[in-house]
Amino acid sequence: MNVFAIETSCDETSASVVTNGVKVRSTVISSQARIHAKFFGVVPELASRAHVENINLVISQALSNSGITFDNFSKKVDAIAFTTGPGLAGALLVGSIAAKSLAVIYKKPLIPVNHLEGHIYSSFIKNELIRHPFLSLIVSGGHTELVLVKDFGKYKVLGVTRDDAVGEAFDKAAKMLGLSYPGGPIIDKKAEKGDPEAIRFTRPYLKGSWDFSFSGIKTAFLNYLKLNPVKSENHLNDVCASFRQAISETLCFKSFSAAKEFNLKRIVLGGGVSSNYLIRKMFLKIGSENKIKIFMPSLVYCTDNAAMIGCVAYLKYVKCGLKYNDAQLKSNPSLNLENWRYN
Ligand code: KG4
Ligand code: ZN
């Protein structure tokens, strides 16, 4: 089954052709990072406008990279998938309108997809055989969620962030250091050259809850910088390494504790922050020490992309055919995993 998928929930305009959920024929991702950099975060109105400007080109490139033209679209594409939520309202509408227009023109079925399910299943693209149940850790610029995935479509959200998402914490820390946006990858790179034990930042474990909170570490970080302004490149690298260490240990502590509590032998990572070098390394190490198998997306599928939407669309098709609740076709910025029904 060939799915043509579109993703526009935040600041990436993306389209992809995916066969049977795991074989990616093409993916085009157009990032708006440069547009939002001077504001140190995504500006919703600018994001919607940029999606409108980019969507046609992204769609035609994704199609042509997989040998599909508007003439053979009908023959080669079986269904059209799009992200229906959560995300920025205006941004979601652009992808949804593009998908619906193609569906009307080519008389193809539509498959609405929950963006968070996209991140959960983005690791399936290279590992066809991840078995349920598993623990999913979604870590991005907008979400930090620990989810017990009992089966496809059966989710129990164990914990969410009470304040900033972890990617946001990286971005804000980078801003405090005078680095550019998005700050996560820059801190990651500088941290590779620093000493992770140089400064002991608080580990926000929130014992007794599966929730996360990153406001405390953010304040500790700011207070540290007020007392110890960055004085050299080495010092900057140490600050980045120590911050990354504290965040990585926190994510590992919560995830492995939850895996143990719910007797889960698989942890699956997803979202932009799962491309962090130390987070990947730490999960693999602790996973092998505890006989818990770790799955993570290829770097290209960590960040928002349409291939993961095409992957989920196929899994959804396998589970319930092309039946969906009509309400799912309507963009829903505050969609979550537990109000998302399969029927
Ligand atoms: O998943 P994503 O592309 O978009 C959202 O759905 O939010 O995630 C973007 C976030 C940004 O906050 C960015 O700083 C962070 O992921 N990020 C990283 C790394 N690469 C991206 N954070 C830490 N280390 C990285 N290597
Ligand atoms: Zn995302």
Side-chain angles (χ1 to χ4, degrees):
M1 181 198 200
N2 283 333
V3 172
F4 181 60
I6 297 175
E7 150 69 39
T8 61
S9 65
C10 190
D11 62 339
E12 263 94 26
T13 316
S14 180
S16 179
V17 178
V18 187
T19 303
N20 295 341
V22 289
K23 186 152 182 44
V24 179
R25 307 249 168 223
S26 69
T27 310
V28 174
I29 304 172
S30 166
S31 168
Q32 304 174 5
R34 267 192 315 136
I35 296 173
H36 303 288
K38 56 177 175 288
F39 305 99
F40 286 96
V42 179
V43 182
E45 176 60 25
L46 296 183
S48 325
R49 290 188 204 185
H51 283 306
V52 170
E53 281 162 18
N54 294 338
I55 190 88
N56 285 353
L57 187 61
V58 167
I59 287 177
S60 358
Q61 278 180 353
L63 290 175
S64 75
N65 291 354
S66 58
I68 300 176
T69 63
F70 287 110
D71 290 333
N72 64 19
F73 190 100
S74 278
K75 250 195 239 149
K76 297 213 168 177
V77 172
D78 300 299
I80 297 165
F82 69 101
T83 303
T84 194
L88 303 170
L92 287 167
L93 277 177
V94 179
S96 131
I97 290 167
K100 287 171 189 172
S101 309
L102 287 170
V104 169
I105 296 166
Y106 294 103
K107 299 189 178 57
K108 293 291 168 187
L110 277 166
I111 307 182
V113 171
N114 182 322
H115 179 80
L116 294 171
E117 272 186 307
H119 280 310
I120 292 176
Y121 287 95
S122 54
S123 296
F124 275 52
I125 296 174
K126 63 169 186 176
N127 304 290
E128 295 173 40
L129 297 171
I130 306 177
R131 286 191 293 123
H132 295 92
F134 58 80
L135 182 78
S136 164
L137 176 69
I138 308 172
V139 276
S140 72
H143 300 273
T144 307
E145 299 201 10
L146 207 47
V147 186
L148 198 172
V149 182
K150 296 174 207 161
D151 200 349
F152 179 71
K154 291 204 174 130
Y155 310 109
K156 182 168 174 48
V157 178
L158 302 175
V160 295
T161 180
R162 293 183 184 174
D163 36 62
D164 288 347
V166 65
E168 214 177 338
F170 270 108
D171 294 338
K172 288 180 178 168
K175 187 179 177 198
M176 291 179 216
L177 291 169
L179 303 173
S180 52
Y181 173 88
I186 305 172
I187 290 190
D188 198 15
K189 211 163 156 200
K190 294 202 176 292
E192 283 300 299
K193 293 179 261 166
D195 172 8
E197 307 301 332
I199 308 136
R200 175 88 192 164
F201 291 117
T202 172
R203 272 66 171 154
Y205 289 158
L206 295 191
K207 286 196 178 141
S209 162
W210 300 116
D211 280 349
F212 298 89
S213 167
F214 297 102
S215 62
I217 186 171
K218 211 175 59 188
T219 310
F221 193 76
L222 182 63
N223 289 340
Y224 172 83
L225 290 178
K226 275 187 190 155
L227 294 174
N228 308 276
V230 173
K231 55 182 188 300
S232 65
E233 190 61 27
N234 282 346
H235 184 202
L236 175 62
N237 294 340
D238 286 350
V239 173
C240 290
S242 303
F243 181 78
R244 182 182 71 165
Q245 184 73 20
I247 298 267
S248 307
E249 282 182 18
T250 304
L251 295 176
C252 282
F253 173 81
K254 306 285 296 193
S255 305
F256 285 99
S257 306
K260 193 168 168 209
E261 172 80 17
F262 296 95
N263 196 23
L264 298 165
K265 297 288 169 218
R266 289 168 285 272
I267 297 179
V268 180
L269 306 183
V273 181
S274 64
S275 61
N276 185 279
Y277 182 71
L278 180 65
I279 292 173
R280 292 173 88 90
K281 203 164 95 178
M282 213 182 256
F283 268 88
L284 287 173
K285 180 168 180 291
I286 304 176
S288 91
E289 286 163 2
N290 291 278
K291 300 201 168 30
I292 292 180
K293 201 145 192 297
I294 307 298
F295 297 90
M296 41 189 121
S298 312
L299 293 181
V300 64
Y301 302 127
C302 288
T303 195
D304 290 348
N305 67 87
M308 68 185 191
I309 303 304
C311 171
V312 171
Y314 175 75
L315 296 174
K316 194 169 175 181
Y317 168 75
V318 169
K319 185 176 168 86
C320 57
L322 293 168
K323 283 182 288 171
Y324 47 74
N325 184 328
D326 274 353
Q328 293 184 354
L329 286 179
K330 208 170 147 206
S331 297
N332 180 353
S334 52
L335 192 66
N336 63 40
L337 285 167
E338 289 182 346
N339 65 14
W340 181 247
R341 297 266 169 267
Y342 281 88
N343 47 10

